Each structure stands twice: as C-alpha cells, then as structure tokens.
Amino acid sequence: MTTTQAVPVTVAVSRRADPARTDEVVAWMRAGTALAESFPGFLGAGFVRSAPGSGEWHVMYRFADADTLRCWEDSPQRRWWLSSAQGIVEHTRVERRTGIEGWFDPPVDHVVETFGEPEPAAPPRWKQAVTIWLAFFPLSLAATLLTARFLADVPLAGRTLLMTLVLTPLMTYLVLPRITRLLHRWLHGRPAPTRQM
C-alpha cells in the first residue's frame, strides 16, 4: 500500500488599493491573517508593498496541503473577510504553487488566475541565473567585507549564519525585484508593463 505525502501549497495574491487608505488595507490584511491562523494546516502568511507610496500589495499564505487550503478558501469567515474590503481593495492576480519555487526544483503544480492582462512567460533559466548573480555578487561581496572587518572574532559559521539571515530578505524583497524591473526588456524581450492604479 502506498501513501501520498501531503504537499504544502503557497498562494500569492496581488492586490491594488488606494495608497491614501494604507492603514485600512494593513489592518484588513492583518485581520485576514488572524482568521487564517485559526484554521488547521495554516503554515504562515505575510504581505509586502511593491514600493513606498505604491498601491500595489503582494500577499502570500501557505497551508499544509490542498485540503486544508480549500477549507480556508471555502470558509464563511474568509468570504466575510473578503467582502469587508469591497470598494477598498481590488484583486488583480492569484497564483497557487506547490513545491519550492524559483531557486530549486520546478513546481509540482502551478495554477495562475489573472484578472486583466495575461502574465508574461518566465524568461529562460540562463537569464534568470545571470540576473540572480548580478544581484547576489555585489551584495555578497559587501557583506563578506563588512563581516570580516566588524565581526572578525565571530566563528565562520556564525558569520555565515548572520550573512544569510540578512542577505536572504534583502535579495528577495529589495534587490531582486529592482534588478528584474531594470532588466525587464532583456529578460522578456519587451518593455516593462506600465503600472495601473
């Protein structure tokens, strides 16, 4: 008898809102996270703004498997929560993925729902690798020089741990989004799409 292992599912949602209503949007997203936390299988959630003053938000949440995700997504609590933001928040894109994305194995499953313009195809892997290297090399060099100068007495494992704890979020949320916007034409063979509000 074979048993199938449950695969965690990550959902990424893009939303637009009036930048003047940022406090309301943040409170609304925190309320949604608090509701989701009470559901079995909830593994975590977070949200980030595209840029200071932007009305574009990216939200991610993760559940242990498709069944526990479905329980949350079909729940009356979530329906109420979503309806409470009508007129404030516009959903522009929803993406569901299983597996570890981007830097490791290809996804087991990948579903995207787009509201509006279709999402462009991913650039070739070699272009992704060059982009990551262009972002990572100067960041890694600067971190290595700084830790060697200011943390020389800390053991190598400790310095490496500190560097990775600092560099991973910097790469993910600050450096890579900027460099991919800068290299958009080269990565996709066309200019970056204009932002809409």
Side-chain angles (χ1 to χ4, degrees):
M1 174 183 266
T2 59
T3 58
T4 57
Q5 184 180 4
V7 179
V9 184
T10 301
V11 180
V13 183
S14 296
R15 295 185 168 112
R16 286 194 199 112
D18 182 351
R21 302 184 81 169
T22 295
D23 291 341
E24 292 170 78
V25 173
V26 170
W28 176 75
M29 287 191 280
R30 286 182 177 151
T33 300
L35 281 174
E37 284 174 349
S38 66
F39 278 73
F42 178 78
L43 298 177
F47 56 89
V48 67
R49 205 171 187 179
S50 289
S54 170
E56 189 176 334
W57 295 84
H58 303 283
V59 181
M60 292 186 76
Y61 56 92
R62 189 166 173 86
F63 276 81
D65 54 45
D67 291 337
T68 56
L69 172 64
R70 193 175 307 108
C71 286
W72 159 245
E73 291 189 330
D74 293 345
S75 70
Q77 293 95 321
R78 182 173 179 268
R79 279 195 298 277
W80 168 81
W81 173 68
L82 288 173
S83 69
S84 70
Q86 285 185 345
I88 299 173
V89 175
E90 175 191 354
H91 306 281
T92 57
R93 185 170 186 264
V94 178
E95 183 176 354
R96 289 173 184 78
R97 290 189 176 208
T98 56
I100 301 172
E101 297 302 321
W103 290 22
F104 301 101
D105 297 330
V108 176
D109 185 22
H110 182 184
V111 180
V112 177
E113 297 168 30
T114 303
F115 305 93
E117 294 182 10
E119 194 66 16
R125 289 262 180 180
W126 71 270
K127 286 187 176 184
Q128 293 178 41
V130 169
T131 302
I132 290 168
W133 181 85
L134 285 171
F136 189 70
F137 175 72
L139 208 58
S140 179
L141 179 62
T144 301
L145 292 172
L146 287 171
T147 57
R149 179 174 179 149
F150 297 109
L151 302 172
D153 296 337
V154 176
L156 178 61
R159 280 186 289 166
T160 304
L161 174 66
L162 182 62
M163 277 183 16
T164 56
L165 285 173
V166 172
L167 294 183
T168 301
L170 277 176
M171 282 285 292
T172 304
Y173 296 107
L174 187 68
V175 179
L176 272 176
R178 286 196 166 103
I179 200 162
T180 53
R181 269 198 304 274
L182 186 67
L183 298 177
H184 190 279
R185 182 184 290 272
W186 177 72
L187 284 165
H188 297 281
R190 59 184 168 277
T194 56
R195 287 195 180 202
Q196 298 175 354
M197 208 18 235

